[in-house]
Amino acid sequence: MTGAAVRELDRMLPHRVHALRRECAVDLTFGGPLDAGGGSVTIRHLDGNLGQTLRHVRVRRGSGLGGKALAQRRPVVVRDYLSTPHIVHAYDHAVAPERVGAVLALPVRLDGDVAGLVYLARRDSLPLGDRTAARAAAAVRSLERDLAIELEVRRRLAEGSSAALRDTRALGDVLSELEAAIELVADQSARQRLHQVCEGLLNFVTGSGRPREPGARGPLSKREVEVLEHVAAGASNNDIAAELGLMPNTVKAYLRSVMRKLGAENRTHAVWLARTSRLID
């Protein structure tokens, strides 16, 4: 696991830990990124905690509920943490003051490896049911997807910067792909921040606006123009994907980018605005 991935997960976790508690309607959520060396996770982020005993606890692989999830690379749940015989009780001194019962530990994975852990817990006698577990798993999958996209965006930005130093026209293609990838990020604040990073890269490299790539029209990239022209012709997302050799979700991402740039409310509105501005025929 790279240091960049761990640092990025650490940055994303405070908001996600807070959202996880709200979405799953539990009493306590917490988590942390993988430590250097990969043998442990340090709890850094908490929401709903009664005190600070869990903060900075270092959960070692194979030890405790989270250590078991870290070792097995899968979620692990117990109905009563302090009395369960199936885990090593190395962290009871930190857990007991929080008065939790049912606890679920979920690994956050990236490319098959564990990048960190998140937990959710209840303080009453009720178990964490299947619906809660499913919501938690979906939230972690969203986090994993956003983490992968953000790291890919950063990698492409670095590549784009190097390419732009050689040929500024190459930057247009790179940033077009990046903007489509950014639109797949679920978290709104992360999307806005990544768009700002793209604009900052443009300003740094060119000193002005986006380099005009061949086929670009106004604020739209060549690929965005192609997608919007197919929409104007009545094609579905699946038809556009097949025609242009893209995934349907990538087509959706391009359309979201187009609507953001044009200030459109929907795809029909985007076509009308583009035609009015003579961005498409």
Side-chain angles (χ1 to χ4, degrees):
M1 187 59 55
T2 66
V6 171
R7 288 191 298 272
E8 189 57 36
L9 178 61
D10 195 30
R11 186 197 63 78
M12 298 172 73
L13 275 174
H15 171 72
R16 298 308 179 94
V17 165
H18 174 74
L20 183 65
R21 180 175 174 235
R22 183 180 65 252
E23 292 168 8
C24 295
V26 294
D27 299 304
L28 172 66
T29 50
F30 54 100
L34 197 69
D35 293 326
S40 61
V41 165
T42 297
I43 304 303
R44 302 185 190 277
H45 312 289
L46 303 96
D47 194 77
N49 48 306
L50 301 176
Q52 299 299 321
T53 56
L54 282 173
R55 195 179 299 277
H56 304 309
V57 168
R58 190 176 185 184
V59 179
R60 300 184 183 278
R61 187 183 303 273
S63 183
L65 187 71
K68 190 174 182 179
L70 180 60
Q72 298 182 358
R73 300 183 182 185
R74 64 175 180 82
V76 181
V77 63
V78 294
R79 179 157 186 168
D80 187 349
Y81 179 88
L82 293 176
S83 65
T84 184
H86 304 300
I87 59 173
V88 178
H89 288 271
Y91 311 109
D92 286 8
H93 64 286
V95 177
E98 291 293 336
R99 303 200 299 271
V100 298
V103 183
L104 171 64
L106 303 99
V108 180
R109 290 168 291 205
L110 179 68
D111 296 330
D113 293 326
V114 178
L117 293 171
V118 294
Y119 300 74
L120 55 158
R122 301 183 65 104
R123 292 194 175 96
D124 54 30
S125 59
L126 297 176
L128 291 164
D130 292 342
R131 181 175 298 180
T132 299
R135 287 178 179 173
V140 169
R141 285 195 299 270
S142 176
L143 172 59
E144 292 169 342
R145 183 169 58 250
D146 286 0
L147 176 61
I149 291 173
E150 179 131 358
L151 291 171
E152 177 64 12
V153 166
R154 290 180 177 276
R155 185 186 69 80
R156 294 291 297 274
L157 279 172
E159 289 181 355
S161 180
S162 298
L165 293 175
R166 299 189 301 270
D167 182 358
T168 57
R169 289 183 304 173
L171 185 59
D173 287 331
V174 173
L175 289 175
S176 178
E177 295 295 329
L178 280 176
E179 287 178 347
I182 290 169
E183 291 298 327
L184 295 173
V185 175
D187 185 72
Q188 182 178 2
S189 62
R191 284 200 308 273
Q192 292 173 343
R193 191 172 60 81
L194 287 170
H195 282 306
Q196 291 170 354
V197 171
C198 282
E199 293 302 320
L201 177 62
L202 277 172
N203 293 334
F204 174 76
V205 173
T206 70
S208 58
R210 177 186 295 279
R212 291 295 300 276
E213 67 213 70
R217 301 180 196 174
L220 302 183
S221 70
K222 178 182 178 181
R223 182 63 88 180
E224 289 166 344
V225 169
E226 290 175 339
V227 169
L228 195 56
E229 286 177 337
H230 281 79
V231 171
S236 68
N237 288 351
N238 288 337
D239 291 337
I240 298 170
E243 180 68 23
L244 299 180
L246 302 172
M247 296 295 292
N249 281 342
T250 304
V251 172
K252 292 178 183 178
Y254 275 121
L255 287 174
R256 284 195 293 268
S257 179
V258 167
M259 289 188 286
R260 179 182 60 84
K261 289 180 177 181
L262 299 182
E265 296 179 359
N266 52 51
R267 56 198 287 152
T268 303
H269 189 205
V271 169
W272 182 84
L273 289 173
R275 281 176 168 164
T276 300
S277 302
R278 298 184 179 179
L279 299 177
I280 62 173
D281 300 326

